[in-house]
Amino acid sequence: MNQYPVSIQKVIKWFSRLPGIGYKSAERMVTKLLEMSSDEIDSFAGAMIEMKQNIRNCSECNAISDHKICAVCADSSRDRTIVCLVEQAKDMFAIERGGGYNGLYFVLGGKLSPLNGIGPDQLAFSMLETFIDNNNFTEIILATGSDVEGEATSVYTQRLLKSKDIKISRIAYGVPVGSSIDFADEMTLLRAIEGRRQY
Amino acid sequence: MRLLSLRLVNFRNYKELVFKPKERKNILVGKNASGKTNILESIYFLSTLRSFRTAKSKELTAWGENGFFISAKLQSSGMEHNVKIFISGKKKVVSLNETNIKKGTQLLGVFYTVIFSPSDMDLIKGDPGLRRKFLDVLLSKTSNYYLSALQDYKKVIKQKNKVLKSQYIDKKLIETYNQQICIYGAKIIFLRSLAVNRLNVTAGKIFKNFSRANDNLMVQYFSLYRPMPELNECDIKNMVAAELEKSFFKEIKQKICLVGPHRDDFKFNINGRDAKSFSSEGQKRSIVFCLRLSEYEIVKKKFKEPPVILMDDVFGELDKDKKNMLKLVIDPQSQVFVTCTETDTLAGLANGAERFFVKDGTIQK
Ligand SMILES: Nc1ncnc2c1ncn2[C@@H]1O[C@H](COP(=O)(O)OP(=O)(O)OP(=O)(O)O)[C@@H](O)[C@H]1O
Ligand SMILES: [Mg+2]
Ligand SMILES: [Zn+2]
């Protein structure tokens, strides 16, 4: 059986390591790369190297950033009395895309799951405490996931911060906006009813 | 609910089988090891996506093959449904009406089977785990709410056990899981207490007819190491919380979760005496019969139509009176599958039944 030259096989292998990319997609990507000019390839590879060199965690909120302090923490127009706790930086960007929230964030770096070797020490809880002590937040919104582990992470955080002078709230779960009630699955509906609020 | 037709490929000793049962009583006659129980097993599999004989789906694949396929035409809620199941190694594809489904919950209400089998005796003689499993199957096959609480609860227990086994124990983390155990645990205990209560009422009634001596059968639910009455969910939550607090250090010392519905049990009493220790084999057999018949009644009420009854080898063991009794308690509305060997006498049960002869992986009328 005839195979691709080794240098091509190598790149295909690298691409297949990325999430959602199988051999076929990797093969297509490599075909496209081969059509690119040397300059293009240079800037593509360069961008990856630059990304890796510059990206670090914000020293305040633990979000990913290409500066010591991330864009949100550095933005003086943000509301500094409220902070939103998320599991991953991508959750933060998801909320940012919504555009309605103007406070700060804190990125925990995951969710509690001792079974997967993730206990409190593996997450940024002590950094969170420092962050809260160094700011004048009046409220923290716990925006971890609605699965069992996300829920446990919120409960743990609430217990950790109980003694601090800060209001602790949990995001609501409910029916997706713009959809009719009968479209939501029954567990979502139950959650929505449990988490109802008064008018 | 009805099984209209069944097709098996490489399932146990069936290479390829098409079986069109009758609407009511079906009797599967055949020698030992001919494949009668295998048929019931495949029908049961359609309703639970698991076997009643083994936890390993791999064992269901015909020897030397890579996977098995079950497809069936079912009837429920006045509609026909096509269910197809393909399992090969870790791969599992289930479709309902030509749409692949990801969660078993999407099959809720489509098909329910009540199985009577000789191993039911273990419900009395065996570990509490078997009785919990009985309740869990009944409740999760009738309520997605229960199933989701149970799945969440099991995850929490696993996480907490892991923490309890670690070198350095973070007390806040234990408290966190305890708080979750209260929430999910209370839901489970609440629904189980309702279910056992209904079993108690129904099984008690049926047992009265079933036993000549007019004996009293009671089914009693035990949770948190005590008889658990029917309380509201909030009171149960407080009880679980109190119990968790009391056992906080004991759990740390023993490195395992001691408090919660994963330790539940239910017991049978005949005239106030524990059936496990004091009843005869015949009485035990009658108890499990009544338990299954109550399961049938509860499910019928829930879905407003009779579930399918599977009876494996239960006739050799009953005396003639009981067989005739059984004929009376079995709902004439339901579709029934009964296995027996040629020498078994079915007494009144055979009336109006269609006989199918099972021989070496084939079925003939
Ligand atoms: N995975 C498998 N592949 C092929 N054959 C199997 C497999 N598992 C079991 N068998 C065979 O199926 C037969 C047993 O079938 P089954 O348990 O349905 O018998 P039965 O008719 O109920 O017998 P009995 O009257 O003794 O209860 C046995 O001969 C057994 O060797
Ligand atoms: Mg058998
Ligand atoms: Zn920041």
Side-chain angles (χ1 to χ4, degrees):
Chain A
M1 194 174 75
N2 220 334
Q3 284 192 334
Y4 280 111
V6 178
S7 61
I8 291 183
Q9 279 183 43
K10 233 167 144 178
V11 182
I12 291 183
K13 249 207 191 114
W14 274 110
F15 276 125
S16 347
R17 272 178 59 175
L18 300 175
I21 312 262
Y23 183 86
K24 277 258 176 272
S25 323
E27 193 181 23
R28 283 219 313 277
M29 290 160 95
V30 167
T31 317
K32 186 74 203 166
L33 281 181
L34 286 170
E35 289 170 11
M36 288 185 185
S37 71
S38 290
D39 279 355
E40 280 178 307
I41 293 284
D42 271 350
S43 41
F44 184 14
M48 279 196 276
I49 292 166
E50 197 183 311
M51 172 181 84
K52 191 58 197 173
Q53 277 169 353
N54 290 337
I55 288 298
R56 60 196 113 171
N57 290 4
C58 168
S59 63
E60 299 277 317
C61 76
N62 202 33
I64 48 173
S65 159
D66 41 17
H67 293 93
K68 187 168 181 298
I69 308 256
C70 76
V72 175
C73 288
D75 183 348
S76 61
S77 71
R78 309 273 316 197
D79 180 355
R80 281 164 196 277
T81 62
I82 185 160
V83 56
C84 177
L85 179 85
V86 292
E87 291 173 14
Q88 307 279 0
K90 71 174 168 52
D91 303 332
M92 161 181 158
F93 295 120
I95 300 176
E96 278 299 287
R97 276 197 298 278
Y101 175 73
N102 194 38
L104 300 187
Y105 293 91
F106 187 85
V107 178
L108 210 43
K111 54 186 176 183
L112 286 171
S113 179
L115 280 172
N116 296 318
I118 302 173
D121 292 344
Q122 279 66 47
L123 300 175
F125 282 112
S126 61
M127 194 174 165
L128 170 67
E129 286 190 271
T130 316
F131 191 49
I132 287 171
D133 292 340
N134 291 345
N135 283 280
N136 292 314
F137 297 125
T138 54
E139 181 175 0
I140 180 168
I141 305 169
L142 308 180
T144 58
S146 65
D147 55 336
V148 190
E149 289 93 2
E151 205 62 70
T153 310
S154 269
V155 174
Y156 185 86
T157 312
Q158 177 248 323
R159 288 183 172 269
L160 190 71
L161 303 179
K162 214 163 40 182
S163 58
K164 294 193 197 295
D165 185 23
I166 187 169
K167 184 178 152 199
I168 304 171
S169 50
R170 177 85 170 107
I171 51 163
Y173 291 102
V175 185
V177 175
S179 75
S180 68
I181 291 280
D182 62 355
F183 223 71
D185 75 85
E186 48 199 302
M187 286 332 286
T188 306
L189 278 174
L190 262 170
R191 277 288 190 94
I193 287 173
E194 280 173 359
R196 68 191 178 277
R197 61 194 160 92
Q198 203 173 352
Y199 268 124
Chain B
M1 292 170 182
R2 300 256 179 283
L3 172 67
L4 302 177
S5 72
L6 174 73
R7 181 165 169 246
L8 302 178
V9 179
N10 294 333
F11 183 92
R12 293 271 194 196
N13 67 334
Y14 293 94
K15 283 261 155 253
E16 162 98 56
L17 173 87
V18 176
F19 175 40
K20 287 203 164 57
K22 283 279 168 284
E23 279 213 7
R24 299 274 192 270
K25 276 189 256 173
N26 297 276
I27 300 180
L28 301 166
V29 192
K31 292 204 172 68
N32 293 127
S34 56
K36 304 180 293 294
T37 305
N38 294 347
I39 292 287
L40 298 194
E41 192 176 30
S42 71
I43 301 174
Y44 183 88
F45 202 91
L46 280 165
S47 78
T48 54
L49 301 184
R50 63 182 65 184
S51 160
F52 58 88
R53 291 204 283 193
T54 171
K56 299 184 202 115
S57 316
K58 209 178 146 198
E59 288 176 19
L60 306 178
T61 304
W63 299 322
E65 300 294 336
N66 294 320
F68 66 85
F69 176 74
I70 306 176
S71 80
K73 195 173 267 175
L74 309 168
Q75 189 185 58
S76 56
S77 342
M79 281 188 291
E80 280 188 14
H81 302 281
N82 286 313
V83 175
K84 293 194 176 79
I85 302 167
F86 173 70
I87 293 188
S88 171
K90 284 204 162 57
K91 200 171 149 205
K92 178 166 165 182
V93 185
V94 181
S95 73
L96 172 63
N97 299 326
E98 330 314 328
T99 311
N100 283 3
I101 57 172
K102 286 193 204 81
K103 290 193 245 162
T105 55
Q106 289 167 276
L107 283 176
L108 189 100
V110 174
F111 196 52
Y112 193 112
T113 54
V114 177
I115 171 98
F116 294 70
S117 107
S119 62
D120 280 351
M121 289 293 269
D122 294 340
L123 281 171
I124 300 181
K125 298 179 183 178
D127 295 340
L130 293 169
R131 289 182 285 280
R132 283 195 295 273
K133 203 173 140 206
F134 170 85
L135 285 182
D136 286 344
V137 171
L138 170 59
L139 282 162
S140 33
K141 286 285 297 162
T142 50
S143 152
N144 281 341
Y145 179 69
Y146 181 86
L147 180 62
S148 122
L150 185 69
Q151 286 168 339
D152 288 350
Y153 179 80
K154 283 183 172 165
K155 280 187 205 152
V156 174
I157 292 293
K158 271 194 198 149
Q159 297 282 16
K160 184 178 157 189
N161 273 334
K162 178 79 185 182
V163 179
L164 286 169
K165 283 184 176 55
S166 61
Q167 284 253 302
Y168 164 75
I169 288 178
D170 183 331
K171 297 224 167 75
K172 267 200 191 67
L173 197 50
I174 300 283
E175 284 166 5
T176 295
Y177 290 127
N178 283 355
Q179 189 169 331
Q180 289 190 297
I181 288 174
C182 288
I183 296 168
Y184 304 128
K187 284 181 185 163
I188 294 168
I189 296 175
F190 174 67
L191 292 170
R192 283 184 183 171
S193 73
L194 293 184
V196 177
N197 245 325
R198 263 186 286 166
L199 285 173
N200 178 44
V201 173
T202 338
K205 258 188 225 149
I206 304 170
F207 193 78
K208 271 234 159 62
N209 295 325
F210 219 73
S211 79
R212 268 158 286 180
N214 209 16
D215 287 329
N216 251 320
L217 172 69
M218 272 224 350
V219 193
Q220 196 175 25
Y221 177 48
F222 282 74
S223 190
L224 307 172
Y225 306 103
R226 72 194 85 175
M228 180 61 73
E230 234 184 87
L231 296 171
N232 66 51
E233 202 178 309
C234 188
D235 288 343
I236 297 173
K237 203 165 136 188
N238 293 334
M239 276 172 87
V240 180
E243 210 54 43
L244 281 165
E245 210 180 306
K246 223 170 70 190
S247 306
F248 193 84
F249 292 103
K250 200 171 156 195
E251 289 191 320
I252 290 177
K253 208 170 141 216
Q254 301 193 10
K255 296 181 180 297
I256 191 142
C257 295
L258 298 169
V259 176
H262 63 291
R263 292 286 177 114
D264 280 358
D265 198 0
F266 63 94
K267 288 186 181 148
F268 307 94
N269 282 311
I270 295 184
N271 302 328
R273 279 188 225 291
D274 182 16
K276 188 173 181 172
S277 321
F278 298 109
S279 63
S280 72
E281 291 300 290
Q283 279 178 314
K284 288 194 180 89
R285 217 164 276 136
S286 306
I287 293 175
V288 291
F289 251 94
C290 294
L291 193 69
R292 290 297 182 188
L293 287 169
S294 335
E295 177 188 0
Y296 173 86
E297 293 297 335
I298 289 172
V299 174
K300 183 178 170 185
K301 211 165 166 183
K302 163 82 191 179
F303 295 122
K304 302 188 178 65
E305 60 184 326
V308 170
I309 295 179
L310 307 174
M311 295 187 145
D312 193 22
D313 273 350
V314 283
F315 294 96
E317 297 159 346
L318 288 180
D319 58 36
K320 196 166 168 233
D321 285 358
K322 294 242 167 64
K323 280 177 198 164
N324 286 325
M325 221 13 261
L326 201 61
K327 189 188 107 194
L328 297 178
V329 286
I330 286 186
D331 189 346
Q333 294 284 306
S334 63
Q335 187 181 31
V336 189
F337 294 85
V338 177
T339 71
C340 67
T341 54
E342 314 218 11
T343 51
D344 288 335
T345 44
L346 294 178
L349 249 153
N351 296 347
E354 181 81 32
R355 275 169 188 270
F356 294 92
F357 295 92
V358 180
K359 202 179 157 199
D360 307 328
T362 62
I363 296 185
Q364 276 145 26
K365 263 203 201 167

